[in-house]
Amino acid sequence: MPRKLIALVVVLVAAFLLAPGPVAAIGSDRALADPDRLADRLRAGFVAYWHTGERGPQLTRVVDFWFRYHLVKAALAALLLLALALLGRRLLAAGHRWATIGVAGVGLLALATVMANVQGAVAPFSSLLPMLTETAADAALAEALGQIRRQLASGEHGPVLRAMVGDFGAYHAAMAVVAAVAAIGLVGASVLGWRRFAATRAAVWGGLGALASLASLAVLMVVIANAATANDPAPALLAFFEGGW
């Protein structure tokens, strides 16, 4: 078994789980690496932004931190995906069929993680929105969220809400593009798997071809759903604020 590659995968998983917050906070407010403090500062900064129409220093620092956080996570997930690809190749060459398919499955999870974090880095403000609704809001935030819902339902969007709708559209457009690129790669992997299976009748190639085919279909559905939302983001944003994310 390729022990060095397995060790590298373990290290990268640990780094992905532990490093993004502290690394993203370097040169900034280290308190932002604490999820509770991050949420508190986001909420206070968001309420001020909603009422003044300007992103103050507090909200700007939070959004900038979140961009770096997703950038670090995307980079680590991409390295993990590469390590898993190398590991799968070594296992396949050594004849470990089921281990190869298992690594390919984990690789799909790594790919999904890369996609999600690229999306978060492209539109970090929209990526932060779930933090506004995860727990009970204070009076000021509850009032702001209520005004957002009413404006979205009426179609009369103020300047801040127009900016939010635009960013939400960019958030979903980013996923549509990233998922389209991933789908192309998965279709290619599916064709390769099925061709190798036809040539060798080796079950491992059939399994890899089937896995890539199913994954490509799932990712194509992601492309369609996100492209539709990017084309008309306001109803989806209303659904989010009404609890239908």
Side-chain angles (χ1 to χ4, degrees), residues 46-145:
F46 178 80
V47 169
Y49 172 50
W50 177 252
H51 289 297
T52 65
E54 296 182 2
R55 290 190 184 184
Q58 182 165 244
L59 183 59
T60 298
R61 282 194 294 270
V62 170
V63 173
D64 289 346
F65 166 82
W66 205 237
F67 163 75
R68 294 191 300 272
Y69 177 82
H70 278 296
L71 204 61
V72 173
K73 292 188 77 174
L76 288 170
L79 289 173
L80 177 59
L81 180 59
L82 176 60
L84 288 166
L86 293 173
L87 177 59
R89 183 177 179 181
R90 291 282 298 276
L91 290 170
L92 183 60
H96 299 292
R97 296 179 302 172
W98 298 113
T100 301
I101 293 175
V103 167
V106 176
L108 290 176
L109 294 177
L111 175 61
T113 304
V114 173
M115 292 163 56
N117 283 285
V118 170
Q119 180 190 32
V122 170
F125 178 79
S126 288
S127 180
L128 282 162
L129 291 181
M131 288 191 192
L132 296 175
T133 59
E134 284 175 350
T135 59
D138 58 32
L141 179 58
E143 179 184 3
L145 295 180

Side-chain angles (χ1 to χ4, degrees), residues 163-189:
M164 289 175 61
V165 170
D167 192 79
F168 198 67
Y171 179 73
H172 286 279
M175 177 55 78
V177 172
V178 172
V181 173
I184 292 170
L186 288 167
V187 168

Side-chain angles (χ1 to χ4, degrees), residues 133-235:
T133 59
E134 284 175 350
T135 59
D138 58 32
L141 179 58
E143 179 184 3
L145 295 180
Q147 291 172 358
I148 289 170
R149 286 190 288 269
R150 288 192 292 273
Q151 285 192 23
L152 284 169
S154 68
E156 298 177 1
H157 302 169
V160 174
L161 188 55
R162 284 197 297 270
M164 289 175 61
V165 170
D167 192 79
F168 198 67
Y171 179 73
H172 286 279
M175 177 55 78
V177 172
V178 172
V181 173
I184 292 170
L186 288 167
V187 168
S190 174
V191 171
L192 176 62
W194 287 119
R195 283 184 174 178
R196 292 289 179 88
F197 175 71
T200 64
R201 294 299 172 181
V204 64
W205 285 113
L208 291 172
L211 189 63
S213 297
L214 292 172
S216 64
L217 290 174
V219 174
L220 282 171
M221 292 176 64
V222 171
V223 173
I224 294 169
N226 280 274
T229 300
N231 185 58
D232 188 16

